[in-house]
Amino acid sequence: MKTKIKVTAVLIFISLLFAFAMIAFTACGNSDEFADEQLEAGEVRVNARDGRAIVRWGDTDADGYNVYASPSLYGEYEKINDRTVTSNRFETEEYPYYYFCIKAVESGTETEIADPVSAFGDETLIVAEDDDMEAVQQHIDEKHARLESGSTGQFSDERFAIMFMPGDYSELNVKVGYYTNVMGLGKVPGDVKLGGLYVSDKVLANDNSTCTFWRGVENVAIDADTEWNNAIVVRWAVSQATSMRRVDINGDLALSTPSGWSSGGFLANSRVSGTVYSGTQQQWMSRNDEWQAWSGNSHSYVFSGCEGYIPAAGWSESGNRYTVIEETEKIAEKPFLICDGGEYSVFIPDVVSGSSGVTWTQEEAGRFISLDDFYVANPDTDDAETLNAALASGKHLLLTPGHYSLDKPVVVNEDDTVVLGMGYATLEISNFNSECAIKVGDVGGVRLANLLIDAGEYSENMVVIGETSGLSHADNPVVLSDMFLRIGGVENVHTETDTAMVIRSNDTIGDNFWIWRADHSLGVAWEDEYENGVVKNYGNPVQTGLLVSGDNVKCYALMVEHCEKYQTYWEGENGLTVMYQSETPYRVPSQDQFMSHDGTKNGYASYKVDDGVQKHRAYGLGVYLVQYGNSFDIDSAIEAPDADGIEMVHMVTCSFSASGTSTINNVINDIGGAVGSNSNFRRLVDRFPVR
């Protein structure tokens, strides 16, 4: 009997050993994705996996290492290892998203081997209320100095996210340069209070803010503290590819510099206690906002679901040019990151219909997803293969600031997947990828947000949403927030895509797009230009910016520019656009190379609704003529069927060309008259069809 008991005990002991071995093997397997990576001396890298921080560093031949951690970069660091670490690796579940400082120990003396690093990457600054604010301000100022101007910042490789833990930061003045996201980590904007925030007037000469792109701020409260035409304001003089969301401004807001001009931007789910001064802002989209007063008028301002003093709708040369829609038909606010009691999560707001005003003054409908359920990507270690593997395992993606080279598409095939970028995380289509950067299957509830996508040498598309199955996603639509696609401009190489974004999935919602065939800087020729058999200037050809074939698709703040054929082509039924902004292509070689309708019409319409579409609505559309080089004509800025199911309201064309003889001959179809250097500066059509 005793022998039997002993044998049983031994078997149990062996089973336990085997179980522990399997657990250890599994844990080792989960983290051994980095086993083959060799880091240089003085290099530290942190990755977060399933709520666990994996910290690695290059060998320094020290006796050992101590590990210090802090929730913010300039906060208090606490030693977290019980005994000296003798390897080049440390893992912890207690501090997955902290900063880690590694100190080499040699003869009892500690030496810091590198600056502290977190899983959010070295292009992210996390700030807490008790930090050294002088160091924080200096960090922000030094980064801004490099990302401030058009010459040093506009096509910089740097990316930057500033994440504020809940707290009062009234002594800070936050300067927002290119590729910068300012993010409050509270549940509501008032949880993070900033002493000031502004966009510089030194972007281009003469206070020109028409190239003030790629920057955003969200989920903070801000005190007005910048002078603007004898008023104290928050100055947000921006153009395309920018967003101001979930912001509570104490005071006034200015959308331009005092004497320069700006050209297009986006304000959503925000409150201004005072006046919004539009100044020289040429066009603007406001959605679900509140303010006390609005001052200013230009080519086209669109207000959807806004409350407070909203200017009366009007559309005339001598009066106002405002488009007012009382309720936003259907929308979901952008997902955002929060930190509550040290625990990180992402809040996913629900889709709502018939909304007006801000969402955060009452309990918000939505769901929290723990950051542990995200794959926190790092541009130094991640590519299409690792991102797809994470998605296939059921993870969401959080893309930390930096550049991700993709030799094949990132594929999203699971309902309710979230792909969220920080600090203008950039997906770069490599020259080996002829398909696209990101492809979403015919699934529901996917959220893509805050992504900058760069074209490669050639890809058929850049973003593809859905398939042509005809499935309805009305109850759980795909929502795309702050999606910015760029072809050319960064360097003098050939970049090309046929159609930049394709939306096939029914019921998709788009919220703030800029699809930009670059018109200035490098690699922006119509086609490759040769000199003595060698390419002198590379081209960035794009046929169409946005193609919509899905039904019931809605786009708010749709901006598409400079493509070589149609900017936007709508084939799907029951589409809706609220605010459209577009410039014509630059450097058209000749009229012969810019003809549509089988060569029978001059130029291509910017906004084209297919002749077979029976129902379509669009409100507040602006198409602007700009000529560099040879003259050309465009017969119609907008084309749409003359049918009872078509409703086009408030359309404008303007000529921004200082010289030349190019024209847009009509606003929509054969209605509206011409703009150009030899014609009117601006033409308006109140609505179409005319009955």
Side-chain angles (χ1 to χ4, degrees):
M1 184 69 176
K2 291 181 180 178
T3 303
K4 188 174 182 180
I5 292 173
K6 287 181 180 179
V7 170
T8 303
V10 169
L11 289 174
I12 293 172
F13 179 71
I14 292 172
S15 298
L16 289 171
L17 283 178
F18 179 77
F20 285 131
M22 288 303 296
I23 292 170
F25 176 79
T26 302
C28 181
N30 285 341
S31 57
D32 269 359
E33 62 182 287
F34 310 111
D36 296 332
E37 185 180 11
Q38 299 298 316
L39 301 183
E40 300 292 332
E43 184 179 5
V44 179
R45 187 165 292 163
V46 180
N47 293 88
R49 295 291 183 266
D50 299 315
R52 185 178 187 84
I54 302 167
V55 190
R56 295 159 296 121
W57 54 92
D59 192 5
T60 64
D61 295 325
D63 296 336
Y65 304 91
N66 286 329
V67 181
Y68 292 79
S70 169
S72 55
L73 180 59
Y74 294 105
E76 293 280 341
Y77 283 80
E78 175 188 357
K79 182 182 172 184
I80 61 173
N81 57 304
D82 294 329
R83 63 187 66 181
T84 303
V85 179
T86 56
S87 69
N88 301 89
R89 184 189 189 104
F90 183 84
E91 299 188 18
T92 174
E93 293 180 349
E94 291 187 67
Y95 312 101
Y97 307 109
Y98 273 45
Y99 282 89
F100 293 92
C101 177
I102 309 302
K103 296 186 179 182
V105 181
E106 189 74 38
S107 301
T109 301
E110 291 185 332
T111 304
E112 187 174 311
I113 68 171
D115 291 336
V117 179
S118 82
F120 294 112
D122 56 10
E123 297 277 36
T124 299
L125 169 63
I126 304 175
V127 185
E129 192 172 27
D130 294 331
D131 287 357
D132 179 348
M133 287 303 148
E134 288 187 6
V136 170
Q137 187 71 67
Q138 182 177 351
H139 189 126
I140 293 172
D141 291 351
E142 288 177 354
K143 191 75 168 180
H144 180 259
R146 296 192 297 275
L147 295 177
E148 175 183 15
S149 74
S151 59
T152 63
Q154 188 170 179
F155 295 101
S156 170
D157 287 336
E158 293 190 57
R159 300 292 183 265
F160 192 31
I162 313 172
M163 298 163 55
F164 288 97
M165 297 281 193
D168 188 337
Y169 304 93
S170 297
E171 61 191 280
L172 285 182
N173 188 292
V174 181
K175 305 169 184 178
V176 188
Y178 282 101
Y179 309 108
T180 299
N181 275 155
V182 178
M183 306 160 58
L185 299 180
K187 290 184 176 179
V188 296
D191 288 344
V192 173
K193 183 178 180 181
L194 303 182
L197 177 142
Y198 80 96
V199 170
S200 171
D201 58 4
K202 302 294 189 296
V203 175
L204 297 175
N206 302 317
D207 289 356
N208 183 351
S209 297
T210 59
C211 291
T212 306
F213 311 138
W214 305 307
R215 64 198 75 203
V217 57
E218 63 183 52
N219 204 27
V220 295
I222 311 169
D223 285 335
D225 78 332
T226 304
E227 187 172 348
W228 184 91
N229 285 356
N230 299 318
I232 302 300
V233 302
V234 171
R235 192 173 69 213
W236 190 249
V238 295
S239 292
Q240 294 83 4
T242 62
S243 69
M244 178 178 274
R245 296 176 179 265
R246 286 182 68 86
V247 168
D248 193 8
I249 293 176
N250 178 27
D252 299 331
L253 171 66
L255 306 180
S256 75
T257 57
S259 59
W261 61 97
S262 44
S263 183
F266 179 75
L267 179 70
N269 200 18
S270 294
R271 180 172 66 185
V272 180
S273 70
T275 299
V276 179
Y277 295 100
S278 61
T280 59
Q281 182 63 241
Q282 293 171 340
Q283 59 268 318
W284 189 265
M285 172 69 186
S286 296
R287 182 186 58 66
N288 292 84
D289 300 311
E290 300 176 11
W291 52 69
Q292 186 180 47
W294 179 282
S295 175
N297 183 38
S298 189
H299 305 311
S300 177
Y301 296 151
V302 180
F303 311 112
S304 176
C306 294
E307 295 183 348
Y309 173 76
I310 309 302
W315 204 247
S316 69
E317 189 59 48
S318 59
N320 294 336
R321 286 169 293 280
Y322 300 131
T323 303
V324 179
I325 302 169
E326 290 187 3
E327 293 184 341
T328 299
E329 188 167 305
K330 192 173 185 179
I331 195 66
E333 297 296 341
K334 174 183 168 184
F336 60 95
L337 192 65
I338 71 167
C339 186
D340 184 16
E343 298 293 326
Y344 280 90
S345 62
V346 176
F347 185 71
I348 316 297
D350 283 352
V351 176
V352 295
S353 298
S355 62
S356 62
V358 302
T359 64
W360 39 266
T361 55
Q362 54 192 352
E363 186 174 352
E364 297 179 81
R367 70 188 193 279
F368 292 92
I369 302 176
S370 170
L371 195 57
D372 296 348
D373 293 326
F374 279 76
Y375 181 87
V376 180
N378 185 311
D380 295 326
T381 55
D382 286 305
D383 55 17
E385 184 174 356
T386 60
L387 297 177
N388 281 326
L391 289 168
S393 73
K395 292 289 188 181
H396 308 279
L397 296 183
L398 181 72
L399 302 175
T400 61
H403 302 260
Y404 299 81
S405 181
L406 304 178
D407 60 1
K408 55 187 173 184
V410 173
V411 180
V412 180
N413 276 330
E414 295 295 328
D415 288 341
D416 303 315
T417 300
V418 179
V419 180
L420 176 62
M422 297 169 46
Y424 283 82
T426 303
L427 302 180
E428 298 177 339
I429 300 175
S430 84
N431 293 342
F432 303 101
N433 180 356
S434 62
E435 193 172 351
C436 61
I438 189 164
K439 179 168 62 175
V440 178
D442 209 352
V443 293
V446 171
R447 304 291 179 94
L448 306 184
N450 209 44
L451 300 175
L452 173 59
I453 300 171
D454 271 338
E457 184 177 56
Y458 170 77
S459 62
E460 183 178 1
N461 309 115
M462 298 174 71
V463 175
V464 177
I465 307 298
E467 301 167 0
T468 55
S469 70
L471 291 176
S472 172
H473 298 294
D475 294 333
N476 196 23
V478 174
V479 183
L480 314 171
S481 307
D482 296 345
M483 295 288 290
F484 309 128
L485 282 60
R486 178 172 64 185
I487 306 93
V490 180
E491 54 184 330
N492 192 29
V493 298
H494 183 92
T495 53
E496 182 175 356
T497 188
D498 294 340
T499 302
M501 180 183 288
V502 178
I503 299 178
R504 301 187 183 115
S505 185
N506 294 333
D507 308 292
T508 298
I509 299 172
D511 193 36
N512 192 25
F513 290 176
W514 190 38
I515 301 171
W516 186 55
R517 174 179 172 260
D519 58 75
H520 62 272
S521 190
L522 303 174
V524 296
W526 188 269
E527 56 189 1
D528 292 352
E529 298 173 347
Y530 290 83
E531 186 176 279
N532 299 322
V534 178
V535 177
K536 180 180 180 182
N537 299 306
Y538 283 97
N540 59 335
V542 185
Q543 302 303 303
T544 301
L546 173 66
L547 171 64
V548 180
S549 59
D551 294 341
N552 310 312
V553 173
K554 297 173 176 59
C555 285
Y556 303 90
L558 172 58
M559 308 181 200
V560 190
E561 298 192 292
H562 312 306
C563 301
E564 295 182 352
K565 289 187 178 179
Y566 297 108
Q567 312 301 311
T568 299
Y569 198 106
W570 212 292
E571 294 177 335
E573 283 292 345
N574 197 31
L576 170 68
T577 295
V578 179
M579 195 274 189
Y580 180 72
Q581 182 271 331
S582 180
E583 283 186 355
T584 58
Y586 292 11
R587 303 175 188 86
V588 176
S590 68
Q591 189 71 68
D592 289 344
Q593 292 178 260
F594 193 49
M595 300 289 290
S596 63
H597 294 264
D598 297 323
T600 62
K601 290 192 70 171
N602 289 328
Y604 286 82
S606 170
Y607 192 95
K608 168 72 174 178
V609 182
D610 188 80
D611 294 344
V613 171
Q614 299 180 29
K615 188 174 182 180
H616 186 88
R617 294 168 296 147
Y619 304 92
L621 290 83
V623 180
Y624 307 106
L625 174 68
V626 183
Q627 176 190 336
Y628 287 103
N630 298 324
S631 297
F632 59 90
D633 287 351
I634 298 174
D635 282 349
S636 306
I638 304 164
E639 291 180 0
D642 188 346
D644 290 341
I646 304 298
E647 184 180 31
M648 315 289 282
V649 177
H650 291 177
M651 293 151 281
V652 59
T653 57
C654 296
S655 173
F656 292 160
S657 297
S659 61
T661 58
S662 294
T663 60
I664 297 177
N665 293 320
N666 283 290
V667 178
I668 181 167
N669 295 354
D670 58 355
I671 298 170
V675 295
S677 59
N678 297 325
S679 307
N680 284 24
F681 164 67
R682 179 168 54 212
R683 292 281 191 171
L684 304 169
V685 171
D686 181 63
R687 59 184 58 239
F688 175 87
V690 178
R691 294 287 188 258

